[in-house]
Amino acid sequence: MSHAPSPSWSHPVWASAQKSCVGVAPNRSRVWFTMARGILTEVFYPRIDIPQIRDLGFIIADDQGFWVELKTLPEPELHLEDAQIPLPQITHHHERFSFSLRLCPDSRRDVLLLEYSLEGDAKLRPYLLCAARLGGDATQNEAWCGSWEGRDLLWAEQGPFGLALLCANEAGLPGFARRSVGEIGASDLWQDFHQHRRMRWDYDSAGPGEVALSGELPRQGHLALGLGSSKEAAATNAWATLACGFAQIEAEYQAAWRDWHRGHPPPRNFRNRIPDDLHTLYARSINVLKVHEDHTFPGARVASLSVPWGEASDSRGGYHLVWSRDLVESAGALVAIGALAEARQVLAYLISTQQADGHWLQNQWLGGKPFWQGIQLDEAGFPVLLASLLEERKALNGMSVRDMIERALHFIVCEGPVTGQDRWEEDGGINAFTLTVAIAALVEGASFLQGKAADCALMLADYWNAHMEDWTFVRNTDLAQRFHVSGYYLRIAPADVLTQEGAKDEWILVKNRAQDPHWAASEQVATDFLQLVRYGLRAADDPQIQDSVAVMDGLLKTDTPKGSVWHRYNGDGYGEHPDGNPFDGCGIGRGWPLLTGERGHYALAAGEDPLPYLRAMAAMTGKGGLLPEQVWDSDPIPEKGLYPGQPSGSAMPLVWTHGEFLKLCHSTLQGHAVDRPAQTWKRYGGQRPQLDYRIWRLRHRLRELMVGQELRILLGAPFRVHWGIDDWQDVQDLRAEDWELGYLACLPTRKLRPGQSVQFTLYWPESNSWQGENFTVQIIGGET
């Protein structure tokens, strides 16, 4: 037995993120497939967060010096006969041949079946090349040329995973001719052809390392990629699938998808109100939501079956991770299409993965193990909104949600209004989108609570809403003068905007840039404030909203041949470099079709037609009809496949974007955002609350109180206030009341006059200690 040589240096990466198709048999199968550049790319098993190969492609060669790798050819034809069924048919064209490929998961077994055919020059033969990545690991895979029950095959193992590749010819008999295994970069089939222009190596074993499996195939046949707990288990199922035949496997797969779609028909007025040219993307978007659901952890969905700029990335996680924000945004689309059972499973999964203090991890593997470590306030609020959305539709079906809601609201009360990271996971502070979600969660969550807990949630929601502009709106800046407006909402305000004058002029780091531009917070603008309108905290015609839209459109909008698209914020660095090279920790942010959808929701609220935004999103899909995370919005770079308005190398499909498209379709039918929180909308109706109190907190230490206002002290632990007026006169003690989400003491300050002051300190009975500092609040005149 000959063992394949190992490379002296290895840098394993993933396949292209520009997927043309993703699929799985709904509800049952544990094998997910992706396609890019006309070949099979990452396959996931037995969970949607565990990739098992990098790619499986083909080389066409004549054994006389000619050879070509299929994925290097121009984009092949992709045919999807039925938009409701992810069943791809690929045809590659070359002057000497055509090569067709069809993929279908086995609904009953952990096997992916491929049917292929080579037509043209009779001298040519197809060769298989598969880069194994069992368990997502590229360092410990081992591979062999073997035989199982008398049938030649290729197989690999790593840890608890086994992979088997079997071939059957047109007669249904074992079809492999020559076979070899190797390590990528040293002894794989591509290196063999690169050095010898034909297949000469026949190594029997390879690894441990990043292994590749290869073999010469008949011109027509079937391949079965089996996965299991061992290579033998994978081989057993793989040959069983081959024995059943492609037609039977395909028929069962199609039937499973049709059955699922029959249970989720479009609304009655759908065809009359949504133009025909959008129907295909509508069906495909539903598929994307369903495909990205895991079958081991019901309700769990990953953000995308891709690794952004995968061909240059060695990330273990990519986007095949769970974000509670993405998950709830997608669940909102499930509710819109009537998939209430799936949405309930999302909520059940979120309840099971909530952390002890009430928040959710920034992102996680499906089993709940953390990946990144950030804290994002909106991710604590979104699950509460999902519970409320289901309750509004009488669809909770007896689910127990109160404990989850209480813990989530307790976290929001303790941590807000500041977030450790914004929704783009880059900077901390006070962000309009994040704070809007937190406010809505407090209001919606209050409807599940009683007594003081509900009162506390509503009190704080009103207070944060009333002070949104104090913290996140800036006036009379150079940008405001440039766009002839009074001001605009900031991308994010520093946390000390709660206590420091001039904080909005502090520097906020713009991440993912080779060189930070050193802009003040007041110079940075994002689309995030649109959530204020979507959730009903502000009206679409609010002058401050309209001014901000003017600045946002002027700074962040790009018109492409496919339609208008918006950037996340000015100066964004998350995207390709100017020369089209992949994002590698820095770059230039590109336009997001997701934000076109959010802009369409604002247009709807403003009484405008949202169809241009839907059509723009549909025009920005890739060749397989999938929506990307970003589109290229600079001059075309044909040699890198980058054209204005078309997908960049970022994640595709992005489930959140497909969910936004679905929600905008249904919002168009209903005349308002389908995911707007009902209690929040009812409470505020687009109007900023007018309050007769202010809330003092340790992280928000007020120095001034308007005449006629009550001073309320809200803290996270029992306390007593030792206080007086005008330099400690009339000293009194006041014990805080337990409001369940916090402890509240209300000082009777409404009758104090301008010029007077309140002094106080805090005593902590649990530790039998004083705060050790005194605080002063001045009473000032003016309007509240």
Side-chain angles (χ1 to χ4, degrees), residues 160-494:
F161 303 111
L163 175 153
L165 273 167
L166 289 99
C167 175
N169 61 21
E170 288 185 287
L173 300 174
F176 274 124
R178 292 175 286 177
R179 293 168 296 148
S180 184
V181 293
E183 289 197 47
I184 291 177
S187 48
D188 61 90
L189 185 69
W190 190 92
Q191 293 290 337
D192 197 1
F193 272 95
H194 180 67
Q195 295 181 34
H196 308 118
R197 306 186 69 82
R198 57 174 53 88
M199 183 177 181
R200 293 183 57 182
W201 293 333
D202 57 357
Y203 297 114
D204 296 311
S205 62
E210 185 184 12
V211 300
L213 300 81
S214 55
E216 181 183 349
L217 306 172
R219 287 173 63 93
Q220 287 83 34
H222 294 91
L223 285 164
L225 172 63
L227 294 159
S229 57
S230 68
K231 62 183 189 297
E232 292 85 3
T236 297
N237 267 338
W239 194 261
T241 296
L242 286 169
C244 289
F246 196 90
Q248 177 181 327
I249 300 302
E250 179 186 43
E252 291 182 351
Y253 179 74
Q254 290 177 320
W257 272 106
R258 290 195 177 103
D259 286 346
W260 192 82
H261 278 285
R262 272 195 292 270
H264 306 88
R268 292 179 181 178
N269 59 343
F270 178 80
R271 295 194 176 278
N272 294 331
R273 297 285 305 281
I274 303 298
D276 291 347
D277 56 322
L278 300 177
H279 292 183
T280 295
L281 181 55
Y282 181 88
R284 210 158 275 163
S285 294
I286 292 176
N287 286 353
V288 168
L289 261 66
K290 187 62 177 172
V291 166
H292 284 76
E293 177 187 40
D294 190 59
H295 297 164
T296 299
F297 294 92
R301 276 175 175 76
V302 296
S304 176
L305 282 171
S306 68
V307 179
W309 299 281
E311 65 275 24
S313 174
D314 61 357
S315 170
R316 287 294 298 269
Y319 276 11
H320 44 268
L321 296 159
V322 179
W323 280 260
S324 71
R325 172 179 45 254
D326 292 53
L327 190 50
V328 174
E329 293 278 19
S330 301
L334 290 171
V335 173
I337 67 172
L340 298 177
E342 282 85 350
R344 275 195 301 274
Q345 292 301 324
V346 170
L347 183 57
Y349 174 78
L350 286 166
I351 290 172
S352 72
T353 56
Q354 186 180 26
Q355 303 298 291
D357 66 355
H359 84 286
W360 277 264
L361 298 169
Q362 177 182 355
N363 55 17
Q364 64 190 30
W365 300 105
L366 268 67
K369 184 178 180 180
F371 187 68
W372 291 336
Q373 306 295 324
I375 299 292
Q376 298 167 18
L377 197 65
D378 63 326
E379 291 202 301
F382 269 117
V384 178
L385 301 185
L386 177 56
S388 182
L389 188 63
L390 288 169
E391 174 65 12
E392 179 191 350
R393 285 158 176 76
K394 310 299 181 185
L396 278 178
N397 288 11
M399 289 186 69
S400 177
V401 300
R402 179 165 176 168
D403 177 66
M404 177 273 286
I405 290 172
E406 284 182 337
R407 287 196 285 147
L409 296 195
H410 188 270
F411 181 83
I412 291 171
V413 169
C414 289
E415 296 295 321
V418 174
T419 181
Q421 292 179 335
D422 61 1
R423 68 166 170 167
W424 306 123
E425 307 186 297
E426 293 181 0
D427 284 290
I430 301 182
N431 169 267
F433 178 95
T434 299
L435 189 52
T436 297
V437 173
I439 291 168
L442 290 169
V443 175
E444 302 301 312
S447 65
F448 291 87
L449 307 179
Q450 297 175 348
K452 294 295 187 182
D455 293 342
C456 185
L458 293 173
M459 176 188 69
L460 196 58
D462 291 348
Y463 187 74
W464 287 349
N465 190 3
H467 290 274
M468 179 73 72
E469 283 72 21
D470 296 341
W471 301 329
T472 66
F473 195 86
V474 66
R475 296 172 175 83
N476 301 320
T477 67
D478 291 343
L479 272 180
Q481 294 176 17
R482 172 181 164 188
F483 288 98
H484 308 290
V485 297
S486 64
Y488 47 85
Y489 290 93
L490 305 175
R491 170 195 164 209
I492 196 164

Side-chain angles (χ1 to χ4, degrees), residues 58-63 66-68 96-97 99 116 118 120-128 177-178 193 215-220:
F58 300 88
I59 288 174
I60 310 299
D62 61 6
D63 212 23
F66 168 81
W67 70 284
V68 61
R96 292 183 62 178
F97 66 86
F99 184 89
Y116 71 91
L118 175 64
D121 192 330
K123 299 185 183 70
L124 297 173
R125 291 289 182 274
Y127 295 80
L128 165 74
R178 292 175 286 177
F193 272 95
E216 181 183 349
L217 306 172
R219 287 173 63 93
Q220 287 83 34

Side-chain angles (χ1 to χ4, degrees), residues 701-729:
R701 303 180 180 191
L702 305 176
R703 294 192 179 93
E704 296 178 335
L705 189 69
M706 301 298 296
V707 63
Q709 288 184 328
E710 181 177 72
L711 179 61
R712 299 182 179 181
I713 302 173
L714 178 64
L715 301 172
F719 67 96
R720 189 171 71 236
V721 187
H722 183 69
W723 71 286
I725 61 173
D726 297 339
D727 199 18
W728 292 103
Q729 298 181 50

